[in-house]
Amino acid sequence: MKNVILIVAAFLVSIVAHAFFIYYQSQGGYIAGPNDGLSQMVPFKHFLYETFHKGNLVYAEDFGFGGGVITQLAYYYATSVVFWLTVAVVSLFDVLGLVTPDLELWLQLALVVSIVRLAVVFVLTTYAYRLFHVQTLYAFAGAVVYGVSVMYIRHVTFWEFFADAFLWVPLLVIGLERIIRLGRADLFIAVSALMLVNNFYFAYINLVFVLVYVLFRQFIRFPEDRLRRRHQWMLYSGSGVLALLLSAFAFVPATYGFLQNERPSLAHDIPWLRPDNVLYDSTILIIPAVFVLLALYRPLYRHTAFRLFASMSLLFIVLHFSPHVGSFFNGFSAPQFRWEYLASFTMGGAVAVGLSQWRFEMRAFLIAAAGTVTLYLLFGLVGDVASWPVSLVIFFLMLATVASLWWKPALAPYVLIASCLIVFNGYTKLILHDKSIVNTNEAFVNSSSYDSAEQRELIDVVKADAGPLERLDWMVHLRNNTPIVQSFLGTSLYSSILNGNLLTFYWRDLEIDMLRESVSRYGTLGNRANLHHLLSSPYWMRNQNVSSEVPYGFDLLAETERYAAYESETRLPFVRTTTSTYRQADLEDASVLTREQAMLSGVILEDGSDTPTPAQSIDFTTEDVEAALVGDTLRVTSEEGGIDLIPDVPEDAIGDLYVSFNIRKLEGDGFFIKLGGYRTTRKPEASIYRTDLTSMTLRTPLADRVPLRLPEGTYTLENVTVEWEDYATLESVIDETDARPEIPVTWDGPDLDFTVEEAAPGTYAVLPVPFERGWSARVNGEKRDVLQANYAFSAIQLDEGRNDVELTYRPPFFTITTALSLLGLGLFFGYLLYLRRKEHPFT
């Protein structure tokens, strides 16, 4: 009966905690941040659901240019336990005809999942705190301190899968206590393995917590502890190894995906300290008044459990103020403060034990109360607070907490729960809603800024005209996952974990501009016709006002009032064959256009034999326009000034110009670059999302005068070159491939098959399939290596004559990780049988 009451209470408190969001969703709003929430969280859930239901469990050809599901999406939802449980429920309702699993459903489900998840967090955490001889009411109050924290709802709103991390901490503590007290590691092994499968990133954070907890427990012991320290470490080590074995099938490829990702190192120094008002309006960690009071109440330190949780809490609170700690928990990258739910858990434990062990002592209470009020006055008067009304509410709640412990301690848990719920809903309304998601609603989701009917109308025209593997270059401004949202094969993607080869292909190898500088994404093909042909992307769609930037050789296919779609007059086949090979190292000093043409006329490999033909470099002069160029320094004196490039090309010339240069703004702030009618932006040097690359290559239609415009400021402008692309190479390659037999291709998730009828000796098949560890090939039934070609894509050496080629994708290290997981499963079941037969020998 007590368990039933606990579960009911957990759901009631969870519902009240989400009260404002329940109201907001009833008014047509959605619980999703306008940036990552709408750009990643919701699209990825919808995408994975559709991908899995199509049977593509390990690879998706419509994930950008194509990518492994586990390697690139395990960070999000691909191996998430909560997501898979949600998929099971949605699938059942889908079969019964009760729901339509579209994007809108996943937007609405975020609230439902959050309510259920938070209730489960309450229950698990209550059980964890009860292990320390805490009555259920006080344990539940402590669980509310943990779950009803600003970090939880912040995670739900912006990065929904982050909130799953709250589930694992209490389970880990229960598992650790079973080891220390009973000598049984079964639960800890199972929880650790599931956690490693669920999300490798938060597994790292939680395992750091495990280490901290274990170290504290070495010195803070309880009478019921039965294992000696050295025996504990033996079980910890063995459990960790067994958990790694069990999770290997998912953890290893996910970790590999993280390691092969490309992200520039942080270019600026990380400060040691960061001020934050943790008593009033921190966006990450608000310390409840009851913890402050209990931490200052000296008699509680007589209790071992209070010392344990209070000391860990004070440690985490101190670490909260250091960006270096944020960098440590973020894999030594840019500081992120996603780990601070750990502090909420230990504070919840301290509150649960403190309330349970409360004994009023006047002198100690007056000192603690005076210290609490003084701290709140100092943080309120001296600290940076968002608004006085908010500060007054927080201060009043603090006084109510102090008063309840003085006059009626039995009311303290209820005052605490009410205070947490007030702060939680206030934070939800004033910080999350008013400052971030006020416009995240049905109207916005159906607008031109995300997914309008007019855009879909034109996309449907393109999809009806396109071949099965042909791509469309289109994305809504700042929304690189538009192809996922609008369900078409595209050329853009936004994810924290991406194929590192593709990122370097964009950033360095081909210097493809993406309309803005940013890490963790690629998008568009820079309006470069050669790349459109090479990557099977014969369609280009834009707003009408930038239609002048259409790639060379593209004609209008269809248009609406605001948008226009264009189609290339010509195509290159999805699978090209060539006998011309170029050595990648020989092209290190070549221009971007030279590399592009080499990819067209042959294939760039690690080992090649042919000599590439340099692109046509042309002379040019410059004229200053509201600016002064002296050497490599350009000073722009107006809101939009710069230089005009005057190329020396024949009057009857056709084609495009490729303008390359190195640029950096000396003031260090962000800026735009306009070349002809093309506009792109660069981030401030202090931004953690900049690529730290200054070399650029921009394509522009051939003209007598090409304006290069920048905002007011001082710039370093170096190595300016202009090359002329007349597309003779492209036209020659098109003529050659048109004369060859068609190569039929079938690509279905992890399986790609094609046949080449008449291959000459030394022929390579070149595919616009991203090179990724996990692909294997068979040519006429014999194994053949899949080669990294054209920097980021794939090629296969063929035999002379007919070639039946079969490519298959499996997650990296699939055979060995599957074997390791099966071995771990066998060992785990053996351990369970051992525990059933006899008590652990260490106890």
Side-chain angles (χ1 to χ4, degrees):
M1 188 62 183
K2 289 183 179 180
N3 291 337
V4 174
I5 295 173
L6 172 61
I7 293 170
V8 171
F11 273 95
L12 286 175
V13 173
S14 182
I15 290 169
V16 175
H18 291 85
F20 177 78
F21 272 163
I22 292 171
Y23 165 77
Y24 180 54
Q25 187 152 308
S26 72
Q27 302 302 304
Y30 297 121
I31 317 308
N35 298 319
D36 289 351
L38 287 178
S39 291
Q40 291 185 310
M41 307 305 134
V42 176
F44 285 163
K45 284 188 282 187
H46 176 61
F47 171 75
L48 284 170
Y49 182 87
E50 294 296 319
T51 299
F52 293 149
H53 274 262
K54 289 188 292 187
N56 298 343
L57 299 176
V58 296
Y59 195 90
E61 66 269 24
D62 48 352
F63 188 69
F65 286 107
V69 172
I70 295 179
T71 54
Q72 297 181 55
L73 282 172
Y75 174 67
Y76 296 94
Y77 296 105
T79 56
S80 165
V81 174
V82 173
F83 175 70
W84 274 104
L85 290 173
T86 308
V87 166
V89 174
V90 172
S91 298
L92 175 61
F93 285 6
D94 187 12
V95 170
L96 296 175
L98 300 176
V99 299
T100 301
D102 54 11
L103 200 71
E104 182 181 4
L105 177 67
W106 292 104
L107 280 163
Q108 295 170 339
L109 276 178
L111 177 59
V112 178
V113 172
S114 181
I115 291 172
V116 175
R117 181 199 296 114
L118 185 56
V120 175
V121 168
F122 290 153
V123 173
L124 294 176
T125 308
T126 300
Y127 279 116
Y129 293 157
R130 280 172 54 178
L131 293 174
F132 300 92
H133 307 291
V134 176
Q135 297 174 28
T136 300
L137 173 61
Y138 301 119
F140 183 75
V144 171
V145 169
Y146 173 49
V148 184
S149 57
V150 296
M151 178 66 82
Y152 176 84
I153 200 63
R154 175 181 173 84
H155 280 174
V156 169
T157 303
F158 297 125
W159 311 281
E160 192 259 357
F161 72 95
F162 284 7
D164 293 354
F166 278 72
L167 294 164
W168 301 105
V169 179
L171 286 170
L172 287 169
V173 168
I174 295 171
L176 288 170
E177 289 299 325
R178 282 174 63 85
I179 290 177
I180 298 169
R181 302 180 188 195
L182 303 177
R184 297 176 65 96
D186 47 354
L187 180 63
F188 182 72
I189 293 168
V191 170
S192 298
L194 279 173
M195 182 181 65
L196 290 167
V197 170
N198 184 79
N199 186 287
F200 68 91
Y201 178 84
F202 282 97
Y204 163 67
I205 294 175
N206 287 339
L207 289 175
V208 172
F209 169 77
V210 166
L211 179 61
V212 172
Y213 186 88
V214 166
L215 289 175
F216 271 81
R217 284 291 271 118
Q218 299 299 294
F219 302 99
I220 301 176
R221 295 180 60 80
F222 298 94
E224 55 266 42
D225 293 356
R226 301 174 65 185
L227 249 65
R228 296 178 180 177
R229 292 185 178 90
R230 67 174 182 274
H231 293 155
Q232 289 179 31
W233 285 106
M234 291 174 64
L235 277 183
Y236 297 147
S237 303
S239 299
V241 171
L242 194 48
L244 280 171
L245 288 174
L246 286 165
S247 65
F249 74 97
F251 178 74
V252 171
T255 305
Y256 171 78
F258 168 77
L259 294 175
Q260 64 83 50
N261 186 43
E262 182 72 17
R263 193 174 181 117
S265 301
L266 198 62
H268 51 82
D269 294 333
I270 300 173
W272 281 101
L273 293 175
R274 174 186 67 101
D276 192 28
N277 197 332
V278 293
L279 296 185
Y280 284 95
D281 56 7
S282 170
T283 59
I284 298 168
L285 179 69
I286 296 179
I287 301 174
V290 67
F291 172 78
V292 178
L293 179 64
L294 295 177
L296 294 175
Y297 191 63
R298 188 173 180 181
L300 286 174
Y301 287 91
R302 301 167 188 158
H303 302 282
T304 306
F306 186 80
R307 290 200 303 272
L308 173 68
F309 285 111
S311 55
M312 284 195 294
S313 299
L314 294 172
L315 171 64
F316 287 138
I317 290 170
V318 171
L319 296 179
H320 161 81
F321 293 98
S322 175
H324 273 277
V325 176
S327 174
F328 167 78
F329 276 105
N330 198 36
F332 299 95
S333 182
Q336 295 288 358
F337 300 90
R338 300 162 181 157
W339 62 272
E340 307 209 14
Y341 60 93
L342 304 178
S344 295
F345 178 82
T346 56
M347 285 191 293
V351 168
V353 175
L355 292 178
S356 181
Q357 301 294 338
W358 179 260
R359 300 292 182 272
F360 186 82
E361 296 183 20
M362 178 63 75
R363 185 173 182 275
F365 179 81
L366 291 177
I367 294 173
T372 301
V373 173
T374 301
L375 283 172
Y376 272 83
L377 286 173
L378 286 174
F379 275 73
L381 296 174
V382 180
D384 183 19
V385 293
S387 66
W388 282 108
V390 171
S391 300
L392 289 174
V393 171
I394 298 290
F395 194 81
F396 170 78
L397 293 174
M398 179 273 296
L399 292 177
T401 300
V402 173
S404 67
L405 284 169
W406 186 335
W407 286 309
K408 197 73 172 176
L411 291 177
Y414 303 101
V415 172
L416 167 62
I417 292 172
S419 299
C420 288
L421 291 172
I422 291 170
V423 173
F424 193 80
N425 277 285
Y427 179 88
T428 300
K429 169 67 170 68
L430 300 176
I431 303 299
L432 300 180
H433 174 266
D434 292 359
K435 294 185 178 181
S436 296
I437 67 168
V438 64
N439 292 319
T440 305
N441 49 42
E442 188 176 352
F444 179 81
V445 168
N446 292 308
S447 72
S448 60
S449 297
Y450 191 73
D451 181 22
S452 73
E454 186 180 0
Q455 293 165 0
R456 283 190 173 273
E457 175 187 343
L458 204 51
I459 289 168
D460 288 341
V461 173
V462 172
K463 289 166 71 173
D465 185 76
L469 298 178
E470 292 182 337
R471 297 184 178 275
L472 164 65
D473 188 323
W474 155 251
M475 54 174 272
V476 175
H477 182 55
L478 304 181
R479 305 280 179 188
N480 289 60
N481 284 331
T482 295
I484 292 176
V485 172
Q486 298 183 340
S487 302
F488 64 89
L489 286 174
T491 61
S492 60
L493 187 62
Y494 170 36
S495 173
S496 292
I497 309 295
L498 289 171
N499 185 327
N501 298 316
L502 280 173
L503 292 175
T504 55
F505 178 77
Y506 266 82
W507 295 347
R508 299 184 184 91
D509 301 325
L510 271 293
E511 293 184 2
I512 306 169
D513 187 73
M514 302 183 294
L515 298 173
R516 64 164 173 157
E517 177 189 24
S518 185
V519 298
S520 300
R521 70 194 74 213
Y522 58 81
T524 85
L525 294 173
N527 307 339
R528 286 150 63 169
N530 290 337
L531 293 178
H532 275 272
H533 282 79
L534 284 164
L535 300 181
S536 194
S537 305
Y539 296 93
W540 186 89
M541 177 175 154
R542 293 292 188 277
N543 286 61
Q544 290 277 13
N545 60 357
V546 294
S547 292
S548 61
E549 291 298 303
V550 62
Y552 179 85
F554 279 60
D555 291 331
L556 182 67
L557 173 66
E559 61 183 333
T560 62
E561 182 180 350
R562 298 183 60 180
Y563 305 99
Y566 292 78
E567 178 182 12
S568 173
E569 295 178 352
T570 55
R571 302 281 204 281
L572 285 179
F574 186 84
V575 176
R576 294 187 303 113
T577 57
T578 183
T579 57
S580 299
T581 60
Y582 305 102
R583 186 168 171 263
Q584 184 171 313
D586 293 341
L587 288 160
E588 283 186 1
D589 298 324
S591 70
V592 165
L593 182 55
T594 300
R595 297 174 187 176
E596 216 173 77
Q597 291 176 347
M599 290 165 61
L600 279 170
S601 60
V603 60
I604 300 173
L605 300 170
E606 184 178 349
D607 296 316
S609 56
D610 296 316
T611 302
T613 302
Q616 302 179 68
S617 181
I618 59 174
D619 295 329
F620 63 96
T621 57
T622 64
E623 289 185 6
D624 298 345
V625 179
E626 298 186 81
L629 179 61
V630 180
D632 293 332
T633 302
L634 176 65
R635 291 184 175 85
V636 178
T637 56
S638 69
E639 293 183 359
E640 188 174 301
I643 60 175
D644 282 352
L645 302 171
I646 306 170
D648 182 15
V649 293
E651 292 184 3
D652 58 347
I654 60 171
D656 289 330
L657 298 176
Y658 279 52
V659 180
S660 300
F661 50 87
N662 284 64
I663 190 167
R664 185 170 68 88
K665 191 173 186 181
L666 299 185
E667 289 86 352
D669 51 342
F671 60 99
F672 67 81
I673 301 172
K674 289 178 66 176
L675 184 71
Y678 184 83
R679 187 181 190 275
T680 186
T681 59
R682 311 300 284 176
K683 289 191 175 296
E685 292 198 5
S687 172
I688 64 174
Y689 300 109
R690 69 186 296 258
T691 61
D692 200 28
L693 301 172
T694 59
S695 181
M696 301 187 66
T697 297
L698 302 179
R699 166 265 181 189
T700 189
L702 191 63
D704 296 334
R705 182 181 292 262
V706 179
L708 175 63
R709 297 291 181 264
L710 304 160
E712 184 176 0
T714 306
Y715 303 84
T716 297
L717 183 64
E718 302 175 301
N719 304 324
V720 181
T721 61
V722 179
E723 292 180 303
W724 173 26
E725 173 57 285
D726 60 5
Y727 294 104
T729 302
L730 175 61
E731 291 172 0
S732 174
V733 172
I734 289 172
D735 290 340
E736 289 179 13
T737 54
D738 286 346
R740 296 174 185 157
E742 183 179 351
I743 302 175
V745 180
T746 302
W747 189 3
D748 182 16
D751 300 311
L752 194 157
D753 304 325
F754 61 91
T755 299
V756 178
E757 292 293 347
E758 300 175 3
T763 295
Y764 289 84
V766 186
L767 300 84
V769 176
F771 178 80
E772 186 175 347
R773 184 166 193 150
W775 281 111
S776 61
R778 287 185 175 274
V779 177
N780 296 326
E782 296 181 358
K783 287 186 177 181
R784 192 68 50 89
D785 290 336
V786 178
L787 306 175
Q788 185 170 352
N790 292 339
Y791 301 103
F793 296 92
S794 305
I796 301 167
Q797 188 170 12
L798 302 179
D799 298 329
E800 184 177 359
R802 179 186 171 91
N803 290 261
D804 292 316
V805 183
E806 301 172 356
L807 276 81
T808 302
Y809 179 87
R810 293 292 180 268
F813 316 106
F814 177 73
T815 302
I816 188 171
T817 56
T818 301
L820 289 174
S821 291
L822 291 174
L823 172 63
L825 194 62
L827 292 174
F828 182 60
F829 278 118
Y831 177 63
L832 293 180
L833 290 174
Y834 174 77
L835 290 179
R836 288 186 63 183
R837 292 187 178 184
K838 59 188 298 185
E839 188 178 11
H840 197 285
F842 294 154
T843 59

